[in-house]
Amino acid sequence: MATEPATEYSFEGPAAFEEEAKREQVAGMGPWRLGLRRMRRNKVAILFGLLFVLLVAICVAAPLWANKVAHTTSAENHLSDTITVNGKKTNVVSLDGVPIGPQYFKADGKFFLGADGNGRDIMVRLLYGGRNSLLIGITAAFMTTILSIILGLVSGFFGGFTDGTIRAALDVLWSFPVIILGVALGVALALGGFKLGPISIQGDSLAIPILVIGVVYVPYMARPIRGQVLSLREKEFVEAARAQGAGPFRIMFTEMIPNLTSTILVFFTLLIANAVLLEAALSFLGAGVQPPEPSWGTMISDGVERIATAPHLTIVPGLMLVITVLSLNVFGDGIRDALDPRAKVRLEH
Amino acid sequence: MSDGERLLEVRDLRVSFATEEGVVQAVDGVSFDLDSGEVLAVVGESGCGKSVTAMTLMGLTRSPNARFEGTAEYKSTELIGATDDKLRQVRGAEIAMIFQDPMTSLNPVQKIGDQIVEQIQEHEGLPDAQARERVIELLERVGIPRARDRVDSYPFEFSGGMRQRVMIALALSCNPSILIADEPTTALDVTIQAQILQRVRDLRDETGAAVILVTHDLGVVADIADRIVVMYAGRVVEQGTLDQIFYDPQHPYTWGLLGSITRVDRPRPERLPAIAGLPPSLADRPTGCHFRPRCPHEFAECANVPPLEARVEGQPDHQDRCWLPPDEKRVKREVTPGEIGLGEKRGAEAA
Amino acid sequence: MARFIVRRLFQMIGVMFAVSVLTFLIFNVIPNGDPAVRMAGRHPSQTIIDQIRKDWHFDDPIYVQYVVTMKKVFTGDLKSYFTQLNVNEEIRKGIPRTFSLAIGAALLWMFVAVCFGLYSAVKAGRFADRFLTIIALIGISMPVFWIGALMNYYLGFKWGIFPNGGYVDLTDDPVDWAYHLILPWTALAILFIGFYSRVLRSNVLDTINEDYVRTARAKGLSERQILVRHVLRNSMIPIVTLWGLDFGAVIGGGAILTETVFDLQGVGQYAADAVGQLDVPPVLATTMFAAFFIVLLNAIVDIAYAYLDPRIRLQ
């Protein structure tokens, strides 16, 4: 047969399977418990989810590493220093400008992953950079989610002029390629900062990339949410609630949002992944995190400049980035399969 | 009435699926015969296995999580377990099917003429012009006005009833010996229903094809069927000729079905009689007689599975699965004088 | 159909206007601080700032500023205060390069994605599918500038299999032109292949379960015929729309990262260089052109979609 859809429910041991299904009383499970059950069977997704949590934890523990193992900070310059490797004294940055490669534990944990062109400890920068990149990614994803829920709900629920305006605004935003819009906003805000009423942000603050990335992704999430709200609006339970006299906000909170939760969850996970990648791209170009603050993107940018002499400067932060984003993607995929195996939730980049 | 050769012999057909909720036994030992020119109606509630039975005959239920047992012999070709190649020869040319929802059953971005030509070309390889002529002729036969113009239209340009006629034209395009109609009128207006059924019957008369009509509506069946198979929870609970089933029904479930038909020739009841309770989940069915939890006439023997047997004197073709002796059945089924029905089960609740 | 096209084009113009307004707002209004200072870049001198203020009418009301800005952009009167070069001229020089990159990559990714996606769907649940899914997931997890830089370094610089970046005009030497573009095409395609193959896989799996596919099977068609004539054709329709939009995005400057890494000197790299210097005029112009391109392609795609899907065309 050419078409054989995936199935884990095979006849090898149907009796055992039936036993298990009866025991867990699958037939009576609500969608959340069913989702959880499906999730539990997806060992790979869980594994990657834990991996992501582990990576976050490691980055959060950056100061620990910096103080206890590497004995330096992310900005400290060791250009003219020497360290002892296998009893021999070596320059951190050689006389012709080549920084040392990964030392692992050969130098008591210093320069675990090597040094960069300014003699800074790569491992320390990687962890602190991770803090920044992940902070920006997660916060921006959060911001996008909140904005998208609000806009999607209001637009889909109220329809008419409100819907038309919001849709038009989202369409305009959506007309810019993500990276270009990110770059434009990043450049514009980097110099003078941002001021809107009481909110005032400095040009080199981390809040700028958060704001930029948070805004840029809104159309990609608001539209699907709006779509779902539109179809939910026609469902009987909403009509029933309305017949009971529930006002629009009450309906949105009690009827709509619970039904949107699985979409939101999946999107949120994928958003973090994309946000982290976008931050890296923006920082790489210079429109994201501003030096001397480290981020994986700026590290790759520095690394590419010296790629001929010290490729590890590029490989290390990139690899870290890939593993982090990959674990999010696999986990997000797993959530999507678990909550609705036939969902069409996807984030257009 | 049957006048011709034995086309199909189904013996002890069983179909089960492995699903998230466990193993579902969709079809549990179904047997019946079909002769040419005959209209066989397969009747039952949603989920009783009638559609699965019909689709299994054409191999449309094959998948990695499906298991089949039993046989279905079509003109000395075994269908269950046939090779894909063999099955492809049978599909469309020997056995054709009309599906329930004509809107989704036709490819929305392909002209209807092309969709029918596709089947003709697959089996007969006619020159294009000839195939096209045949299609136009077919469309006219099923009653589509201005067929020559509309052969190049898309499905969405037709109404529901018209689309179903297109499906009928498609099904008949290669002169099949058996036409399977799976709930052909369920998705249509009641007014169109009669037209479609009329069409099916006329075409049966013209071509001599046999028809398997799958439906949940006994009323639809009364006009057109020769023989009736009543299914419940995957099993055949009664089968016989039209007259036998309507005038001498033997199984309580059949009584329930008959009793719930709204009749124009009787005074309106205060409440529409319905069969109390719900059909069992196919993953977890009662032991013994499946209908037992909903049957007001159940007794101790019903804990054992009743075999499908002919129990009425002089009616060897009339079989049922009820332990009650035939004379008791005659009494119990008359809920009011002259009216057949099931009656209320004491403490009637969902099974 | 003609009415649909006209309506769509009007809509397009409306969106372009909104885009121009938004771009203007982004650069001259939203950020805090003096727009003249911002325009002058990283290390401005007072004379330049004053000159800019006069040139761009920053002392005049906003709508005047808007008109002035738009006039500058569209009449080619835009100059970078950092490089002193005319912006429109630089963009024009970069277009054939960006085009070459975009078209090649778009065709490559479409072809590979369809193959991967279809194969994945057909073998759904089996090893081949899982393997391709992992590859796709890795593909969408990799930053294109990172993989591009590594490809350029190892395959280009170190092992010399491919040229070490740079661009050769198509008219000068077609073979060399392609040779220089193979790595950039691949790098840019990787992300899209990952994404599109999964979308196609999902679409195909959905379509396979549609009723009309069941009907096709009941007609006696072979699985291969069903796959190509019914499943693939119907699954591709939404993909073609997506493809059009992404293609527009790439041409419009979405390839900014790839161009930079491979030193192709296209429009994207031009923008990237300006970004690095926080040089506003080029970024302003490229942003607007990028969005315009997308809006234009959006309209074209909608019209093409209406043509492909008869349901829209005939209503």
mmCIF file of all heavy atoms in Angstrom, chain A residues 118-157:
data_model
loop_
_atom_site.group_PDB
_atom_site.id
_atom_site.type_symbol
_atom_site.label_atom_id
_atom_site.label_comp_id
_atom_site.label_asym_id
_atom_site.label_seq_id
_atom_site.Cartn_x
_atom_site.Cartn_y
_atom_site.Cartn_z
ATOM 1 N N ASN A 118 39.047 39.013 21.682
ATOM 2 C CA ASN A 118 39.435 39.954 22.734
ATOM 3 C C ASN A 118 39.893 39.253 23.993
ATOM 4 O O ASN A 118 40.047 39.869 25.030
ATOM 5 C CB ASN A 118 38.241 40.858 23.089
ATOM 6 C CG ASN A 118 37.998 41.881 22.011
ATOM 7 O OD1 ASN A 118 38.934 42.324 21.345
ATOM 8 N ND2 ASN A 118 36.754 42.244 21.818
ATOM 9 N N GLY A 119 40.118 37.981 23.888
ATOM 10 C CA GLY A 119 40.611 37.248 25.041
ATOM 11 C C GLY A 119 39.546 36.916 26.064
ATOM 12 O O GLY A 119 39.844 36.528 27.178
ATOM 13 N N ARG A 120 38.280 37.067 25.682
ATOM 14 C CA ARG A 120 37.235 36.762 26.658
ATOM 15 C C ARG A 120 36.926 35.266 26.663
ATOM 16 O O ARG A 120 37.083 34.595 25.644
ATOM 17 C CB ARG A 120 35.975 37.566 26.330
ATOM 18 C CG ARG A 120 36.218 39.078 26.411
ATOM 19 C CD ARG A 120 35.012 39.869 25.977
ATOM 20 N NE ARG A 120 34.807 39.812 24.538
ATOM 21 C CZ ARG A 120 34.066 40.672 23.860
ATOM 22 N NH1 ARG A 120 33.460 41.670 24.510
ATOM 23 N NH2 ARG A 120 33.902 40.544 22.573
ATOM 24 N N ASP A 121 36.480 34.772 27.801
ATOM 25 C CA ASP A 121 36.180 33.351 27.955
ATOM 26 C C ASP A 121 34.899 33.008 27.197
ATOM 27 O O ASP A 121 33.826 33.513 27.505
ATOM 28 C CB ASP A 121 36.031 33.023 29.448
ATOM 29 C CG ASP A 121 35.912 31.527 29.688
ATOM 30 O OD1 ASP A 121 35.328 30.809 28.842
ATOM 31 O OD2 ASP A 121 36.411 31.073 30.727
ATOM 32 N N ILE A 122 35.019 32.140 26.201
ATOM 33 C CA ILE A 122 33.859 31.810 25.368
ATOM 34 C C ILE A 122 32.763 31.141 26.173
ATOM 35 O O ILE A 122 31.580 31.473 26.028
ATOM 36 C CB ILE A 122 34.263 30.863 24.223
ATOM 37 C CG1 ILE A 122 35.223 31.554 23.277
ATOM 38 C CG2 ILE A 122 33.044 30.383 23.482
ATOM 39 C CD1 ILE A 122 34.584 32.297 22.173
ATOM 40 N N MET A 123 33.111 30.233 27.020
ATOM 41 C CA MET A 123 32.094 29.511 27.793
ATOM 42 C C MET A 123 31.283 30.490 28.622
ATOM 43 O O MET A 123 30.063 30.436 28.668
ATOM 44 C CB MET A 123 32.777 28.474 28.700
ATOM 45 C CG MET A 123 31.791 27.595 29.444
ATOM 46 S SD MET A 123 30.772 26.630 28.315
ATOM 47 C CE MET A 123 29.931 25.581 29.463
ATOM 48 N N VAL A 124 31.968 31.400 29.290
ATOM 49 C CA VAL A 124 31.265 32.379 30.102
ATOM 50 C C VAL A 124 30.352 33.236 29.225
ATOM 51 O O VAL A 124 29.192 33.472 29.538
ATOM 52 C CB VAL A 124 32.272 33.270 30.856
ATOM 53 C CG1 VAL A 124 31.545 34.378 31.584
ATOM 54 C CG2 VAL A 124 33.063 32.428 31.831
ATOM 55 N N ARG A 125 30.880 33.680 28.104
ATOM 56 C CA ARG A 125 30.079 34.508 27.196
ATOM 57 C C ARG A 125 28.901 33.714 26.656
ATOM 58 O O ARG A 125 27.803 34.252 26.479
ATOM 59 C CB ARG A 125 30.935 34.974 26.017
ATOM 60 C CG ARG A 125 32.031 35.920 26.427
ATOM 61 C CD ARG A 125 32.316 36.903 25.311
ATOM 62 N NE ARG A 125 31.361 37.990 25.365
ATOM 63 C CZ ARG A 125 31.038 38.774 24.343
ATOM 64 N NH1 ARG A 125 31.582 38.577 23.178
ATOM 65 N NH2 ARG A 125 30.182 39.746 24.470
ATOM 66 N N LEU A 126 29.157 32.440 26.391
ATOM 67 C CA LEU A 126 28.084 31.600 25.855
ATOM 68 C C LEU A 126 26.930 31.528 26.853
ATOM 69 O O LEU A 126 25.768 31.657 26.479
ATOM 70 C CB LEU A 126 28.621 30.190 25.587
ATOM 71 C CG LEU A 126 27.705 29.276 24.805
ATOM 72 C CD1 LEU A 126 27.575 29.764 23.385
ATOM 73 C CD2 LEU A 126 28.250 27.851 24.819
ATOM 74 N N LEU A 127 27.244 31.330 28.112
ATOM 75 C CA LEU A 127 26.194 31.214 29.104
ATOM 76 C C LEU A 127 25.488 32.545 29.340
ATOM 77 O O LEU A 127 24.272 32.611 29.427
ATOM 78 C CB LEU A 127 26.780 30.674 30.414
ATOM 79 C CG LEU A 127 27.350 29.262 30.304
ATOM 80 C CD1 LEU A 127 27.910 28.811 31.643
ATOM 81 C CD2 LEU A 127 26.291 28.297 29.832
ATOM 82 N N TYR A 128 26.262 33.607 29.436
ATOM 83 C CA TYR A 128 25.627 34.918 29.622
ATOM 84 C C TYR A 128 24.876 35.327 28.357
ATOM 85 O O TYR A 128 23.787 35.907 28.415
ATOM 86 C CB TYR A 128 26.672 35.975 29.967
ATOM 87 C CG TYR A 128 26.946 36.045 31.448
ATOM 88 C CD1 TYR A 128 28.050 35.400 32.000
ATOM 89 C CD2 TYR A 128 26.091 36.729 32.289
ATOM 90 C CE1 TYR A 128 28.288 35.448 33.357
ATOM 91 C CE2 TYR A 128 26.335 36.786 33.647
ATOM 92 C CZ TYR A 128 27.431 36.144 34.178
ATOM 93 O OH TYR A 128 27.662 36.185 35.522
ATOM 94 N N GLY A 129 25.458 35.017 27.238
ATOM 95 C CA GLY A 129 24.774 35.300 25.977
ATOM 96 C C GLY A 129 23.483 34.517 25.888
ATOM 97 O O GLY A 129 22.455 35.022 25.442
ATOM 98 N N GLY A 130 23.548 33.259 26.372
ATOM 99 C CA GLY A 130 22.342 32.460 26.378
ATOM 100 C C GLY A 130 21.266 33.080 27.239
ATOM 101 O O GLY A 130 20.086 33.094 26.881
ATOM 102 N N ARG A 131 21.683 33.594 28.379
ATOM 103 C CA ARG A 131 20.713 34.283 29.227
ATOM 104 C C ARG A 131 19.990 35.361 28.439
ATOM 105 O O ARG A 131 18.773 35.479 28.479
ATOM 106 C CB ARG A 131 21.420 34.963 30.381
ATOM 107 C CG ARG A 131 21.737 34.078 31.524
ATOM 108 C CD ARG A 131 22.436 34.891 32.580
ATOM 109 N NE ARG A 131 21.936 34.545 33.883
ATOM 110 C CZ ARG A 131 22.081 35.296 34.965
ATOM 111 N NH1 ARG A 131 22.661 36.450 34.877
ATOM 112 N NH2 ARG A 131 21.611 34.883 36.116
ATOM 113 N N ASN A 132 20.786 36.180 27.759
ATOM 114 C CA ASN A 132 20.188 37.272 26.981
ATOM 115 C C ASN A 132 19.301 36.745 25.872
ATOM 116 O O ASN A 132 18.148 37.154 25.733
ATOM 117 C CB ASN A 132 21.276 38.165 26.388
ATOM 118 C CG ASN A 132 21.914 39.043 27.450
ATOM 119 O OD1 ASN A 132 21.353 39.235 28.518
ATOM 120 N ND2 ASN A 132 23.087 39.564 27.152
ATOM 121 N N SER A 133 19.847 35.833 25.083
ATOM 122 C CA SER A 133 19.084 35.327 23.936
ATOM 123 C C SER A 133 17.786 34.676 24.390
ATOM 124 O O SER A 133 16.731 34.893 23.805
ATOM 125 C CB SER A 133 19.919 34.324 23.149
ATOM 126 O OG SER A 133 21.033 34.947 22.570
ATOM 127 N N LEU A 134 17.880 33.847 25.442
ATOM 128 C CA LEU A 134 16.680 33.153 25.897
ATOM 129 C C LEU A 134 15.699 34.118 26.554
ATOM 130 O O LEU A 134 14.485 34.011 26.356
ATOM 131 C CB LEU A 134 17.061 32.035 26.875
ATOM 132 C CG LEU A 134 17.752 30.860 26.202
ATOM 133 C CD1 LEU A 134 18.349 29.926 27.243
ATOM 134 C CD2 LEU A 134 16.774 30.111 25.326
ATOM 135 N N LEU A 135 16.246 35.059 27.299
ATOM 136 C CA LEU A 135 15.362 36.036 27.922
ATOM 137 C C LEU A 135 14.579 36.785 26.844
ATOM 138 O O LEU A 135 13.359 36.916 26.903
ATOM 139 C CB LEU A 135 16.187 37.027 28.756
ATOM 140 C CG LEU A 135 15.371 38.193 29.329
ATOM 141 C CD1 LEU A 135 14.445 37.691 30.414
ATOM 142 C CD2 LEU A 135 16.287 39.281 29.872
ATOM 143 N N ILE A 136 15.304 37.251 25.855
ATOM 144 C CA ILE A 136 14.660 37.987 24.768
ATOM 145 C C ILE A 136 13.652 37.092 24.055
ATOM 146 O O ILE A 136 12.514 37.485 23.815
ATOM 147 C CB ILE A 136 15.707 38.506 23.765
ATOM 148 C CG1 ILE A 136 16.589 39.548 24.444
ATOM 149 C CG2 ILE A 136 15.020 39.100 22.544
ATOM 150 C CD1 ILE A 136 17.701 40.053 23.556
ATOM 151 N N GLY A 137 14.079 35.873 23.738
ATOM 152 C CA GLY A 137 13.196 34.972 23.003
ATOM 153 C C GLY A 137 11.906 34.686 23.757
ATOM 154 O O GLY A 137 10.804 34.820 23.215
ATOM 155 N N ILE A 138 12.045 34.307 25.013
ATOM 156 C CA ILE A 138 10.861 33.917 25.779
ATOM 157 C C ILE A 138 9.960 35.119 26.053
ATOM 158 O O ILE A 138 8.736 35.045 25.889
ATOM 159 C CB ILE A 138 11.275 33.242 27.103
ATOM 160 C CG1 ILE A 138 12.033 31.946 26.784
ATOM 161 C CG2 ILE A 138 10.061 32.941 27.955
ATOM 162 C CD1 ILE A 138 12.557 31.231 28.004
ATOM 163 N N THR A 139 10.557 36.231 26.449
ATOM 164 C CA THR A 139 9.737 37.409 26.716
ATOM 165 C C THR A 139 9.040 37.910 25.459
ATOM 166 O O THR A 139 7.861 38.264 25.489
ATOM 167 C CB THR A 139 10.595 38.557 27.298
ATOM 168 O OG1 THR A 139 11.522 38.032 28.222
ATOM 169 C CG2 THR A 139 9.717 39.589 27.971
ATOM 170 N N ALA A 140 9.775 37.930 24.355
ATOM 171 C CA ALA A 140 9.156 38.393 23.113
ATOM 172 C C ALA A 140 8.002 37.479 22.726
ATOM 173 O O ALA A 140 6.939 37.939 22.312
ATOM 174 C CB ALA A 140 10.194 38.438 21.996
ATOM 175 N N ALA A 141 8.224 36.164 22.876
ATOM 176 C CA ALA A 141 7.159 35.218 22.535
ATOM 177 C C ALA A 141 5.937 35.479 23.407
ATOM 178 O O ALA A 141 4.794 35.426 22.946
ATOM 179 C CB ALA A 141 7.644 33.790 22.729
ATOM 180 N N PHE A 142 6.196 35.762 24.670
ATOM 181 C CA PHE A 142 5.122 36.080 25.588
ATOM 182 C C PHE A 142 4.351 37.294 25.118
ATOM 183 O O PHE A 142 3.117 37.308 25.058
ATOM 184 C CB PHE A 142 5.747 36.379 26.958
ATOM 185 C CG PHE A 142 4.895 35.937 28.077
ATOM 186 C CD1 PHE A 142 4.752 34.595 28.348
ATOM 187 C CD2 PHE A 142 4.210 36.851 28.856
ATOM 188 C CE1 PHE A 142 3.959 34.159 29.375
ATOM 189 C CE2 PHE A 142 3.402 36.423 29.882
ATOM 190 C CZ PHE A 142 3.279 35.081 30.154
ATOM 191 N N MET A 143 5.106 38.311 24.761
ATOM 192 C CA MET A 143 4.488 39.553 24.315
ATOM 193 C C MET A 143 3.642 39.332 23.078
ATOM 194 O O MET A 143 2.494 39.792 22.987
ATOM 195 C CB MET A 143 5.603 40.562 24.019
ATOM 196 C CG MET A 143 5.093 41.950 23.789
ATOM 197 S SD MET A 143 6.483 43.059 23.552
ATOM 198 C CE MET A 143 5.808 44.082 22.270
ATOM 199 N N THR A 144 4.212 38.607 22.115
ATOM 200 C CA THR A 144 3.454 38.314 20.902
ATOM 201 C C THR A 144 2.168 37.581 21.232
ATOM 202 O O THR A 144 1.101 37.896 20.702
ATOM 203 C CB THR A 144 4.274 37.444 19.944
ATOM 204 O OG1 THR A 144 5.543 38.011 19.736
ATOM 205 C CG2 THR A 144 3.555 37.279 18.629
ATOM 206 N N THR A 145 2.286 36.599 22.125
ATOM 207 C CA THR A 145 1.112 35.806 22.475
ATOM 208 C C THR A 145 0.014 36.669 23.069
ATOM 209 O O THR A 145 -1.149 36.603 22.636
ATOM 210 C CB THR A 145 1.498 34.710 23.490
ATOM 211 O OG1 THR A 145 2.587 33.966 22.966
ATOM 212 C CG2 THR A 145 0.335 33.788 23.742
ATOM 213 N N ILE A 146 0.364 37.489 24.027
ATOM 214 C CA ILE A 146 -0.645 38.345 24.657
ATOM 215 C C ILE A 146 -1.297 39.258 23.627
ATOM 216 O O ILE A 146 -2.526 39.331 23.508
ATOM 217 C CB ILE A 146 -0.027 39.205 25.779
ATOM 218 C CG1 ILE A 146 0.677 38.328 26.804
ATOM 219 C CG2 ILE A 146 -1.084 40.057 26.436
ATOM 220 C CD1 ILE A 146 -0.252 37.635 27.742
ATOM 221 N N LEU A 147 -0.461 39.927 22.855
ATOM 222 C CA LEU A 147 -1.002 40.847 21.848
ATOM 223 C C LEU A 147 -1.887 40.102 20.852
ATOM 224 O O LEU A 147 -2.958 40.575 20.486
ATOM 225 C CB LEU A 147 0.141 41.538 21.098
ATOM 226 C CG LEU A 147 0.827 42.684 21.825
ATOM 227 C CD1 LEU A 147 1.998 43.190 21.000
ATOM 228 C CD2 LEU A 147 -0.152 43.810 22.087
ATOM 229 N N SER A 148 -1.418 38.922 20.415
ATOM 230 C CA SER A 148 -2.184 38.176 19.417
ATOM 231 C C SER A 148 -3.522 37.718 19.963
ATOM 232 O O SER A 148 -4.527 37.743 19.252
ATOM 233 C CB SER A 148 -1.394 36.957 18.943
ATOM 234 O OG SER A 148 -0.178 37.349 18.405
ATOM 235 N N ILE A 149 -3.525 37.268 21.211
ATOM 236 C CA ILE A 149 -4.799 36.829 21.796
ATOM 237 C C ILE A 149 -5.777 37.980 21.820
ATOM 238 O O ILE A 149 -6.934 37.861 21.408
ATOM 239 C CB ILE A 149 -4.587 36.284 23.220
ATOM 240 C CG1 ILE A 149 -3.734 35.029 23.185
ATOM 241 C CG2 ILE A 149 -5.926 35.973 23.864
ATOM 242 C CD1 ILE A 149 -3.453 34.465 24.559
ATOM 243 N N ILE A 150 -5.283 39.130 22.308
ATOM 244 C CA ILE A 150 -6.170 40.288 22.405
ATOM 245 C C ILE A 150 -6.702 40.676 21.032
ATOM 246 O O ILE A 150 -7.909 40.774 20.809
ATOM 247 C CB ILE A 150 -5.437 41.486 23.048
ATOM 248 C CG1 ILE A 150 -5.033 41.134 24.470
ATOM 249 C CG2 ILE A 150 -6.325 42.725 23.022
ATOM 250 C CD1 ILE A 150 -4.259 42.228 25.162
ATOM 251 N N LEU A 151 -5.770 40.869 20.101
ATOM 252 C CA LEU A 151 -6.190 41.313 18.772
ATOM 253 C C LEU A 151 -7.069 40.265 18.078
ATOM 254 O O LEU A 151 -8.086 40.593 17.484
ATOM 255 C CB LEU A 151 -4.963 41.625 17.910
ATOM 256 C CG LEU A 151 -4.222 42.896 18.288
ATOM 257 C CD1 LEU A 151 -2.963 43.044 17.462
ATOM 258 C CD2 LEU A 151 -5.126 44.097 18.096
ATOM 259 N N GLY A 152 -6.647 39.006 18.186
ATOM 260 C CA GLY A 152 -7.413 37.951 17.522
ATOM 261 C C GLY A 152 -8.824 37.844 18.087
ATOM 262 O O GLY A 152 -9.799 37.718 17.349
ATOM 263 N N LEU A 153 -8.935 37.895 19.403
ATOM 264 C CA LEU A 153 -10.234 37.804 20.056
ATOM 265 C C LEU A 153 -11.130 38.983 19.662
ATOM 266 O O LEU A 153 -12.256 38.809 19.215
ATOM 267 C CB LEU A 153 -10.071 37.815 21.581
ATOM 268 C CG LEU A 153 -10.039 36.449 22.259
ATOM 269 C CD1 LEU A 153 -9.776 36.643 23.740
ATOM 270 C CD2 LEU A 153 -11.334 35.728 22.051
ATOM 271 N N VAL A 154 -10.590 40.174 19.849
ATOM 272 C CA VAL A 154 -11.391 41.362 19.560
ATOM 273 C C VAL A 154 -11.808 41.386 18.097
ATOM 274 O O VAL A 154 -12.968 41.611 17.768
ATOM 275 C CB VAL A 154 -10.590 42.635 19.924
ATOM 276 C CG1 VAL A 154 -11.259 43.855 19.362
ATOM 277 C CG2 VAL A 154 -10.457 42.754 21.424
ATOM 278 N N SER A 155 -10.837 41.145 17.242
ATOM 279 C CA SER A 155 -11.108 41.192 15.810
ATOM 280 C C SER A 155 -12.122 40.133 15.397
ATOM 281 O O SER A 155 -13.081 40.412 14.698
ATOM 282 C CB SER A 155 -9.787 40.992 15.069
ATOM 283 O OG SER A 155 -9.979 41.079 13.691
ATOM 284 N N GLY A 156 -11.909 38.893 15.847
ATOM 285 C CA GLY A 156 -12.797 37.822 15.418
ATOM 286 C C GLY A 156 -14.172 37.917 16.041
ATOM 287 O O GLY A 156 -15.180 37.615 15.421
ATOM 288 N N PHE A 157 -14.199 38.334 17.286
ATOM 289 C CA PHE A 157 -15.461 38.323 17.998
ATOM 290 C C PHE A 157 -16.364 39.466 17.593
ATOM 291 O O PHE A 157 -17.551 39.288 17.343
ATOM 292 C CB PHE A 157 -15.189 38.372 19.504
ATOM 293 C CG PHE A 157 -16.390 38.034 20.322
ATOM 294 C CD1 PHE A 157 -16.767 36.720 20.492
ATOM 295 C CD2 PHE A 157 -17.146 39.024 20.908
ATOM 296 C CE1 PHE A 157 -17.877 36.391 21.250
ATOM 297 C CE2 PHE A 157 -18.257 38.712 21.663
ATOM 298 C CZ PHE A 157 -18.626 37.393 21.835
#
